[in-house]
Amino acid sequence: MQEIFVYIYNILFIILYLWVINVAGYAYKATGNNFFYYAVLLYVILIIDSTTAFSFDILKMSNSWLQINNRAYCLIRILIYLIGGCCYVKLMSSMLLQKPRFFFYLPIIGVTLVDIVAVLGFYNNFDTSILQRSVQDTGILFLCLIYAIYSKKLNRDIHYKQNYDKAVGLTAVLMILSVIEGVVFFIIHGLDIPAFSELLSYMKIIGFNEDLFSIIISLLIIWFAKKEEEIANKNQLENLVQQKMNQYQAMIHEKENANEENQVIDFCKYYKMTKRESEILRLVLKGKKNQEIADALFISVGTVKSHIYSIYKKLAVDRRSQLMHIFMEYQGK
């Protein structure tokens, strides 16, 4: 019966972790937020860890000849914890919007060294899994403390900061409870009461607070990832619509310019302007002054005035305002 329970229990966790990986992966593609990238890496490690623990528990309960040494198993779990702990540091650093500093890794490295020394030295093989779990959770607890210190310096959008603060606060509470759970286990185990033997057996396999933490944090990451992906997709759609609108307006503006240019050409032909007069007329219609026209066409101001006088004569006007009026009347025909 216990084997079936352990099997179902671990399979459900692996399914949950795969769900997180899937959702966080899509969120990372949509947002580019490194938080989701490191969340994916972390949950890959958690799946490896769960699969390792699950396989060991099944082999232990089935009395299989494939059983591995308990000390070797503990060392494997320590290595997995070290890799996962580094992912936790990367995840925390992405929340703090900075590169991980060396001392961010110290809680993970310290816990790993304590675990190695304990496994090789004075751990009681029967109780190792519980003690390991409690010690390792203190490493995550210290990371929560580091986040609490550095998050005060954050200058980020309140929406993000509130979500991260709540998640880290919840993590700290559940890690404390997980450590307390380990202490309670040793107290109960030390009493050596037969009525508690079944409870102790399940406690060695299942860390209630740690698993509760995994469930809650996983669901929070899924919720956060879906929300951020939705916002990113909405922004992407708005940007696409704006881009299309800009392209449309540019096309209309281009058509208007082309139409106006054709009207200028027809106007010049109608009044029999020379090529140079047509060039100067275009600039006059754009509101350019004599000096600006001279600079644009690389001619003298006197030459510009001479051509403008010729244009005035052909149009029977003596001011630019009259010239503009005649052109606007021509456009209205």
Side-chain angles (χ1 to χ4, degrees):
M1 181 65 184
Q2 192 183 63
E3 291 181 30
I4 296 175
F5 172 76
V6 172
Y7 179 80
I8 295 174
Y9 189 82
N10 282 277
I11 288 297
L12 289 175
F13 267 95
I14 290 174
I15 292 172
L16 176 63
Y17 294 162
L18 287 172
W19 186 17
V20 174
I21 289 172
N22 181 62
V23 175
Y26 279 112
Y28 175 68
K29 289 181 181 178
T31 65
N33 188 344
N34 284 333
F35 173 85
F36 298 116
Y37 174 77
Y38 292 118
V40 169
L41 291 182
L42 175 61
Y43 273 81
V44 169
I45 300 301
L46 289 176
I47 287 177
I48 295 172
D49 184 57
S50 294
T51 304
T52 302
F54 163 65
S55 301
F56 180 79
D57 289 334
I58 291 297
L59 289 173
K60 186 167 60 175
M61 288 184 293
S62 63
N63 294 318
S64 170
W65 63 272
L66 291 172
Q67 288 186 45
I68 62 173
N69 180 271
N70 194 58
R71 181 169 293 176
Y73 162 74
C74 291
L75 291 174
I76 292 172
R77 292 291 301 277
I78 291 171
L79 176 61
I80 295 172
Y81 170 79
L82 177 61
I83 298 171
C86 292
C87 288
Y88 270 114
V89 172
K90 290 281 190 179
L91 191 68
M92 182 194 71
S93 299
S94 69
M95 293 160 65
L96 293 171
L97 296 179
Q98 62 175 279
K99 292 183 178 180
R101 304 188 181 188
F102 173 74
F103 67 86
F104 286 5
Y105 293 96
L106 290 181
I108 303 301
I109 295 172
V111 167
T112 301
L113 293 175
V114 169
D115 265 345
I116 291 174
V117 171
V119 167
L120 298 178
F122 54 82
Y123 265 7
N124 182 318
N125 285 344
F126 182 77
D127 302 327
T128 298
S129 60
I130 300 295
L131 189 53
Q132 266 193 295
R133 188 183 301 154
S134 297
V135 171
Q136 290 173 356
D137 288 344
T138 59
I140 308 302
L141 189 57
F142 274 109
L143 290 183
C144 295
L145 180 61
I146 291 174
Y147 173 85
I149 295 171
Y150 277 84
S151 65
K152 295 177 181 178
K153 304 176 184 178
L154 282 179
N155 181 20
R156 70 158 67 242
D157 178 77
I158 192 66
H159 157 69
Y160 272 95
K161 191 173 186 307
Q162 281 186 338
N163 286 331
Y164 289 154
D165 287 353
K166 289 176 182 177
V168 172
L170 181 62
T171 299
V173 170
L174 290 172
M175 291 300 98
I176 291 171
L177 292 175
S178 181
V179 173
I180 293 174
E181 183 183 22
V183 174
V184 171
F185 171 83
F186 279 105
I187 293 173
I188 295 175
H189 182 263
L191 295 175
D192 196 22
I193 301 175
F196 290 150
S197 59
E198 189 69 19
L199 174 62
L200 291 172
S201 179
Y202 277 104
M203 285 183 72
K204 283 189 296 178
I205 298 170
I206 301 167
F208 176 76
N209 290 292
E210 190 179 66
D211 290 347
L212 180 62
F213 159 75
S214 297
I215 294 170
I216 294 175
I217 294 299
S218 296
L219 294 177
L220 282 175
I221 290 176
I222 290 170
W223 170 81
F224 182 56
K226 284 184 175 293
K227 184 177 179 181
E228 293 306 308
E229 184 182 1
E230 183 180 343
I231 292 172
N233 289 336
K234 183 179 178 181
N235 291 338
Q236 187 177 10
L237 180 61
E238 289 178 354
N239 291 336
L240 182 61
V241 171
Q242 186 61 47
Q243 184 181 359
K244 293 295 183 183
M245 286 293 295
N246 292 340
Q247 289 176 350
Y248 176 75
Q249 290 174 357
M251 182 182 68
I252 294 298
H253 185 65
E254 186 177 341
K255 286 184 177 180
E256 289 176 349
N257 289 340
N259 184 50
E260 185 176 345
E261 178 65 21
N262 290 332
Q263 288 178 334
V264 172
I265 292 172
D266 292 340
F267 183 80
C268 292
K269 286 181 180 179
Y270 183 79
Y271 286 98
K272 298 179 180 177
M273 306 280 182
T274 65
K275 182 178 179 182
R276 179 61 79 182
E277 288 172 347
S278 298
E279 292 173 345
I280 291 175
L281 178 62
R282 285 189 182 89
L283 296 174
V284 170
L285 291 173
K286 291 180 179 179
K288 301 292 184 181
K289 296 179 181 180
N290 289 348
Q291 185 62 57
E292 292 175 322
I293 295 172
D295 292 340
L297 299 178
F298 303 102
I299 57 178
S300 68
V301 175
T303 302
V304 172
K305 289 180 178 179
S306 176
H307 283 298
I308 289 177
Y309 176 77
S310 178
I311 293 170
Y312 283 173
K313 198 172 181 182
K314 289 180 180 180
L315 297 176
V317 299
D318 55 13
R319 292 192 302 272
R320 293 194 181 202
S321 59
Q322 293 174 329
L323 185 155
M324 292 292 294
H325 181 70
I326 290 175
F327 180 71
M328 289 173 67
E329 282 186 340
Y330 182 83
Q331 283 182 310
K333 291 181 181 180

